[in-house]
Amino acid sequence: MAGNIKDKEAYQRLNFLYQAAHCALAQNPENTELARFYCLTQKTISKRLVLRQDPSLKRTICKKCCTLLIPGVTSTVLQKRGPMRQRKTVVRCLSCGLIKQFPNNPKHELWVDQPEAQLENQTSHDAGPSLKSKTQKKKPDIGSAYMTAKTSPTV
Ligand SMILES: [Zn+2]
């Protein structure tokens, strides 16, 4: 339980920093340096404590320069058509020029949205031993088949 509470405080801190970055830009769109400082601090904390941040949040922060990406203020957002006629969203950071691309596929599921990513589902997924015994059972079968194949030409 103690670990959970500790994480909760860290997440609250990350949440605060993220909101502070938004507030800084909302007050003055030229406050990009301050917003970047908040986002950099947020990134450093999440890295040091190994806290996974939600993809929806990660997508709004530039990977290269840690600028908070707000369409029309610190980033440009375009809809493009890539190969195979697939549409994609292209987000470009205005301060460093880094480009993020996201395919517009409604069927695409993020890893965090998949049931296997949830910790409570992973315990049921932990049916490793039964799977292992299955493969171990299979192996001798292959071996015996190989043996018979090998012995048949000599006879
Ligand atoms: Zn950038």
Side-chain angles (χ1 to χ4, degrees), residues 62-67 69 93-98:
C62 176
K63 262 190 175 177
K64 196 175 172 189
C65 67
C66 288
T67 297
L69 300 173
C93 172
L94 286 180
S95 39
C96 75
L98 190 85

Side-chain angles (χ1 to χ4, degrees), residues 143-155:
S144 60
Y146 179 68
M147 283 280 277
T148 48
K150 206 182 176 184
T151 47
S152 54
T154 51
V155 172

